[in-house]
Amino acid sequence: MPVATTSATPSLSVHQRALRSNVVKKAIMAVTGLVLITFLLFHMFGNLKMFVDAEAYNHYASWLHDDILYPILPHGWFIWIFRVVLLACLVGHVYCAASLWRAARHARSSKYVHAAHRPEQTYAARTMRVGGVILLLLVIFHLLMFTTRSVQIGFDSASTPYEMMIGAFSLENWWVVLIYAIFVGVVCMHVRHGFWSAFTTLGANVGPNARIALNCLAYFVAVLLFVGFMLPPVAIMFGMVN
Amino acid sequence: MKITLRIWRQANKDAQGKMQTYQLDNVSEEMSFLEMLDLLNEQLTDQDVEPVAFDHDCREGICGMCGVVINGAPHGRYNSPVATTTCQLHMRNFKDGDVIDIEPWRAGAFPVIKDLAVDRSAFDRIIQAGGYISVNTGSAPDAHSTPAPKREADKAFDAATCIGCGACVAACPNSSGMLFTSAKIAHLANLPQGQPERRLRVKAMVAAHDENGFGGCTNVGECAAVCPKSIPLESIGQLNRDLIASLFRGDGRTIS
Ligand code: HEM
Ligand code: SF4
Ligand code: FES
């Protein structure tokens, strides 16, 4: 039977060593990443409610905060469960990313003098790690602005969710729209490679056709997220909503 | 034709290496890349310069010994649709006056032994961890006693053509050896003889892969694009499926 001949830690069983492998870390990144993408899709769709009218949007926002799963759960519980799950996904995702990054730096310890010819690597794939760090910073900024309201640009603590959105993305705050365009752009690049990568990590790449299909889907989801998230801010900036 | 070579020279494992420039005349386009290096070494020997060390054996693309990075591309395939080993690359792919950079495989798991020769024994240790089937010898069973479905047998055969050259690791931005490891997983997982040890094998080989200093796969695909045997990227998908499924089973839980 196969035995471990090179075990770095002989006190562990083969099963335990496999559990600590890069493939398992990748699988954790894949599952958490897909949960985050699913969340983003719902978040994007929910934002579009603002095109209905102020009341619909505010109602949706208060439903998110207070009413989901009521009466099974008391008012306001769901949002906290939801936040804990998302935070756990983000922490798990970033922890595994850091660990794999360290392993890869160790493995690719010397660089080629003649720049490596990499015909397959897309820009999105090459920037997953740096892009991820930028993404993390922008997520924190986003939460400080719209969740905790610690950064108030174009609104104050008394604003309704709708007023908050209209104020933040008004024409005089064009640079906020620009920051969000960059933010959403970075997210979409990450999703462009991440979506395909996650399914492949979980074993869905069964052949050349699956590779094409998964990559097409990845482009579709990335573009959908970009358009869906940018519609409200751009429409507000150009005064098409008030 | 005349070419300029810039070659990585490194005296031994611990020495600091650097690129050295050599001029080479009378290179014929009929020559293989290794024959061109032979010509250089004859010239260097005449000049009392230490010849360039590089690995090679069969020179017909089947042993996996040769392999250098040529102008940033492992085995020098570049964008050619034809998969090749270094020994099967010919000088007609270059033109008079070209400057050709030649470097060894670079990866923490493949230390340079000398110049262009690297130590690929980390691959052997991955195979030792599980890349085989256990059989008791005795009288050979009848050929048709274990039916092997044609479709799976073909996949197994394609995966079995991996020659262990290491180009996949050299090309990978993470120096991951997943394509090599998955070729063996896909080979044995698609044959009836590979089934009894299938789950333990994937656990042991994946663990050995990481412990030998290879990085994790980020599904970029550079490996399959340079592989001289066209091992497909979906082999890694098979490895991932097998590993994840095996983790829900008890194989390998006891410390042996
Ligand atoms: C909204 C937030 C995020 C989403 C939706 C997301 C999604 C994904 C997905 C689906 C993958 C593919 C996983 C796999 O290949 O197994 C991935 C990979 C990755 N993510 Fe994220 N991620 C997010 C945030 C982050 C953050 C904050 C970081 C880093 C600080 C990060 C760093 C990475 C890295 C390094 C990879 C691996 C790259 C690769 O496999 O090529 N991600 N992400
Ligand atoms: S998978 Fe291809 S590139 Fe990698 S060792 Fe085998 S033959 Fe060489
Ligand atoms: S020398 Fe044997 S494959 Fe090139």
Side-chain angles (χ1 to χ4, degrees), chain A residues 68-117:
Chain A
I68 305 184
L69 288 189
Y70 179 80
I72 290 184
L73 294 177
H75 283 292
W77 274 40
F78 176 83
I79 188 76
W80 279 104
I81 296 171
F82 191 70
R83 283 171 176 163
V84 169
V85 171
L86 275 190
L87 186 68
C89 282
L90 197 62
V91 170
H93 191 81
V94 174
Y95 172 80
C96 290
S99 163
L100 288 167
W101 194 349
R102 199 174 335 107
R105 277 175 53 147
H106 195 71
R108 169 95 5 268
S109 48
S110 64
K111 294 237 178 312
Y112 290 105
V113 176
H114 187 115
H117 173 66

Side-chain angles (χ1 to χ4, degrees), chain B residues 75 123 161-169 179-180 183 223 226-231:
Chain B
H75 290 307
F123 266 7
T161 58
C162 166
I163 53 178
C165 63
C168 42
V169 177
L179 193 66
F180 166 79
C223 50
V226 297
C227 174
K229 297 295 148 184
S230 304
I231 301 296

Side-chain angles (χ1 to χ4, degrees), chain B residues 56-59 61-66 85 87:
Chain B
H56 59 104
D57 190 7
C58 71
R59 297 207 175 192
I62 56 171
C63 76
M65 279 308 282
C66 66
T85 53
C87 59

